[in-house]
Amino acid sequence: MSKKILIPLIVIILALVGTAVWLFTSLQEQKQVVQDMEELAELDKQEMENEYERFTLQYSEMKTQINNDSIIAQLTQEQMKTQKLLEELKQVKASDAREIARLKKELATVREVLRDYVMQIDSLNRLNENLRAENTRVSAELSERNAQVAGLSSEKASLSEKVAIAAQLDATGIQMQMIDKRGKTAKKLKDCKQLCVNFRITKNVTAANGNRTVYVRIQNPGGNTLSGGGTFAYENRQLECSAKKVIEYTGEETPVTVYWNMTQMLEAGDYRVSIFVDGNMIGSKTFAFNK
């Protein structure tokens, strides 16, 4: 075979080998990203299941603290509703984003109803020694259930107490927009210099006042986190965040604005924003950015 034929043939073979290596590496990276996203979704679903179980047991505990038949009937009805939602959640796959979002919204409603009952029952203050004994039994059962949930931290276990359940924060009205170099809203990805995330932490009179660190995690269409905010603890692991901010929370509705300064090129597609405070994910939303 002449050199004129041999040299181009070698070049073609090397090119094919290089392409094959690149494709293999890319597939492995995509597989890891998908695996990480599935793991996070499963953790989120597991946390929701545990909260529903806590709320169900909390209703049992509260029914031992009062002698009001009307309120007991209301608590029983809410307990049955919570149990029904828990059974629905157990049947849902973690990858079913629509159903998970619906049940998470229902969970927030259940939490608000439970807070109202906690405040009503505390105001009655009708506990006696027999009720204290029953309360201790149910609390022990609740603590045992928390200890059996794999992967949950000691901070999660403390949610077994009604004050911790009532004090968990929620984020609403989540918005994200692109900002250009003049500080105006950018219409195209190529003009974006910052991402601005706005939301409100809802009013919660049972939550402790003081400084809170808010962590904002922005994931691009490939599932990778836009870096820049360091890491934070969540579910016995360290997660990367895009930005963080210390706020003063007084129990009233608190508006929060966080900026992510552009350190990498953005691609068109869906971006997921997740907000974390006190080791809990208090809100999330997905935004679509086109070229």
Side-chain angles (χ1 to χ4, degrees):
M1 184 180 295
S2 66
K3 291 184 177 179
K4 291 184 178 180
I5 297 176
L6 182 59
I7 292 175
L9 183 59
I10 292 174
V11 171
I12 292 173
I13 292 173
L14 291 175
L16 289 173
V17 171
T19 301
V21 172
W22 177 83
L23 286 173
F24 178 79
T25 303
S26 178
L27 287 173
Q28 290 297 108
E29 292 176 348
Q30 291 178 14
K31 182 179 179 180
Q32 183 61 47
V33 168
V34 171
Q35 182 177 346
D36 290 345
M37 293 178 65
E38 290 176 349
E39 182 180 351
L40 185 58
E42 192 62 41
L43 284 172
D44 191 21
K45 180 175 179 290
Q46 186 180 55
E47 180 183 355
M48 289 173 60
E49 288 183 9
N50 192 48
E51 283 199 81
Y52 271 121
E53 289 179 347
R54 286 196 192 94
F55 293 164
T56 301
L57 288 172
Q58 189 65 47
Y59 278 118
S60 294
E61 179 183 355
M62 288 191 295
K63 285 190 290 185
T64 68
Q65 299 175 0
I66 56 174
N67 295 317
N68 186 308
D69 292 339
S70 175
I71 295 181
I72 289 177
Q74 295 174 37
L75 292 174
T76 301
Q77 184 177 358
E78 292 297 332
Q79 184 179 24
M80 293 174 61
K81 177 181 177 181
T82 303
Q83 184 65 42
K84 180 176 180 295
L85 291 170
L86 172 59
E87 295 303 322
E88 290 180 16
L89 178 60
K90 288 181 177 180
Q91 300 300 319
V92 172
K93 293 183 178 180
S95 58
D96 191 343
R98 182 183 297 273
E99 273 302 290
I100 291 295
R102 180 184 71 82
L103 290 169
K104 184 171 290 187
K105 185 176 180 180
E106 291 284 355
L107 182 62
T109 301
V110 171
R111 187 183 297 118
E112 288 294 332
V113 172
L114 183 59
R115 286 173 182 161
D116 290 339
Y117 280 117
V118 167
M119 296 178 68
Q120 289 181 47
I121 293 172
D122 282 349
S123 66
L124 295 176
N125 195 21
R126 296 176 178 177
L127 294 174
N128 56 40
E129 290 302 321
N130 292 333
L131 296 179
R132 292 180 190 276
E134 181 64 13
N135 179 51
T136 299
R137 184 190 67 78
V138 176
S139 295
E141 180 182 351
L142 182 59
S143 297
E144 181 180 359
R145 178 64 63 88
N146 287 338
Q148 295 173 351
V149 178
L152 294 182
S153 65
S154 59
E155 183 177 357
K156 292 290 182 180
S158 69
L159 291 177
S160 61
E161 300 178 7
K162 61 184 179 182
V163 175
I165 293 175
Q168 184 170 321
L169 303 179
D170 289 312
T172 61
I174 303 172
Q175 296 295 329
M176 182 169 68
Q177 58 183 342
M178 299 182 294
I179 304 298
D180 61 19
K181 63 182 180 181
R182 296 175 299 175
K184 305 295 184 179
T185 301
K187 296 182 179 180
K188 298 181 179 180
L189 281 173
K190 66 182 182 66
D191 298 326
C192 179
K193 298 300 179 183
Q194 287 182 315
L195 290 178
C196 177
V197 179
N198 293 291
F199 56 92
R200 298 184 303 278
I201 296 180
T202 57
K203 179 178 179 179
N204 188 339
V205 295
T206 63
N209 295 346
N211 290 338
R212 297 285 205 290
T213 300
V214 178
Y215 299 94
V216 176
R217 178 177 166 95
I218 306 172
Q219 293 173 284
N220 66 17
N224 297 312
T225 301
L226 303 183
S227 60
T231 61
F232 63 98
Y234 179 70
E235 296 288 2
N236 290 330
R237 61 187 294 188
Q238 290 293 315
L239 293 183
E240 187 176 12
C241 76
S242 306
K244 62 183 179 181
K245 184 175 184 179
V246 177
I247 65 167
E248 182 179 359
Y249 186 70
T250 62
E252 298 295 326
E253 182 175 90
T254 305
V256 182
T257 300
V258 179
Y259 292 92
W260 175 78
N261 295 320
M262 188 168 176
T263 58
Q264 61 191 82
M265 294 299 296
L266 302 180
E267 56 184 303
D270 292 339
Y271 286 75
R272 180 181 174 86
V273 177
S274 301
I275 301 166
F276 299 80
V277 176
D278 295 337
N280 300 307
M281 182 165 67
I282 66 171
S284 64
K285 190 173 182 180
T286 300
F287 299 87
F289 288 154
N290 301 319
K291 291 185 177 181

